[in-house]
Amino acid sequence: DSGVTQTPKHLITATGQRVTLRCSPRSGDLSVYWYQQSLDQGLQFLIQYYNGEERAKGNILERFSAQQFPDLHSELNLSSLELGDSALYFCASSAQGTGYYEQYFGPGTRLTVT
Amino acid sequence: ILNVEQSPQSLHVQEGDSTNFTCSFPSSNFYALHWYRWETAKSPEALFVMTLNGDEKKKGRISATLNTKEGYSYLYIKGSQPEDSATYLCAFTNSGYALNFGKGTSLLVTP
């Protein structure tokens, strides 16, 4: 158990809908990262937050947005969902916001868009 | 997006064999190189974070080396056990923020 929690574990929804994925980092960790893993793809970095502020952005679609709250939990919002958004979404946390620190991954949320 | 290549894509060894895999990454503007172990139905778990050219790290039977000048890292497993079966991911960052992951090497160790 990494100490990172993600809810829900599974989500099935229809195209065009909007969903929110939730992540609570390990106690004491200030940085949260979101990753997407689609079929046959490696882990793709989406976005990073550090202590409530956006720190880095990767291949995140405009239909997706995220935020980190004062209690350091984070939410990833996915809207106007398409079939291709079906994937495993991971949240990870680290003590600080730089690449010198290992990341601790949550169990993931599997999103299925039908 | 920075290209991180891992080879081989998959590997099947017998219990007791030693094995190694390679991670290649851009050699310019190096910041850090991470190795993660990902077992089926679980989430990735950090093995090593390597930051200096020539770094060597070890955890039990697993060790890793780093060459930032030529852009590669090796992961070694000595005396493989069935519980070592997993996908081994490497990830590179040149900014200190976003990690760029390779697709991993899938290792199967049979008794």
Side-chain angles (χ1 to χ4, degrees), chain A residues 43-88:
Chain A
L43 279 170
Q44 298 289 318
F45 169 72
L46 295 178
I47 197 163
Q48 178 199 0
Y49 280 84
Y50 176 74
N51 204 20
E53 295 193 3
E54 183 185 302
R55 176 64 68 90
K57 226 170 188 177
N59 297 324
I60 188 164
L61 299 171
E62 282 191 16
R63 300 183 284 108
F64 296 0
S65 65
Q67 54 184 327
Q68 186 180 27
F69 295 87
D71 67 352
L72 300 178
H73 91 271
S74 177
E75 293 180 356
L76 179 67
N77 300 296
L78 316 176
S79 61
S80 303
L81 285 167
E82 301 175 0
L83 295 177
D85 298 327
S86 295
L88 187 54

Side-chain angles (χ1 to χ4, degrees), chain A residues 33 35 37 40 42-43 45 48 55-56 59 88 90 97-103 105-107, chain B residues 1 31-32 34 36 38 42-47 49 51 89 93 96-99 101-103:
Chain A
Y33 307 78
Y35 294 91
Q37 196 203 16
D40 296 331
L43 279 170
F45 169 72
Q48 178 199 0
R55 176 64 68 90
N59 297 324
L88 187 54
F90 282 108
T98 76
Y100 290 147
Y101 293 85
E102 60 192 13
Q103 295 183 16
F105 282 77
Chain B
I1 298 176
Y31 193 95
H34 293 218
Y36 290 84
W38 191 359
K42 295 189 177 180
S43 46
E45 180 184 343
L47 287 172
V49 178
T51 57
L89 300 171
T93 177
Y97 304 127
L99 282 183
F101 279 84
K103 291 191 175 181

Side-chain angles (χ1 to χ4, degrees), chain A residues 5-20:
Chain A
T5 60
Q6 288 186 250
T7 56
K9 198 167 182 178
H10 300 279
L11 199 47
I12 301 175
T13 190
T15 54
Q17 296 298 304
R18 173 190 168 96
V19 296
T20 297

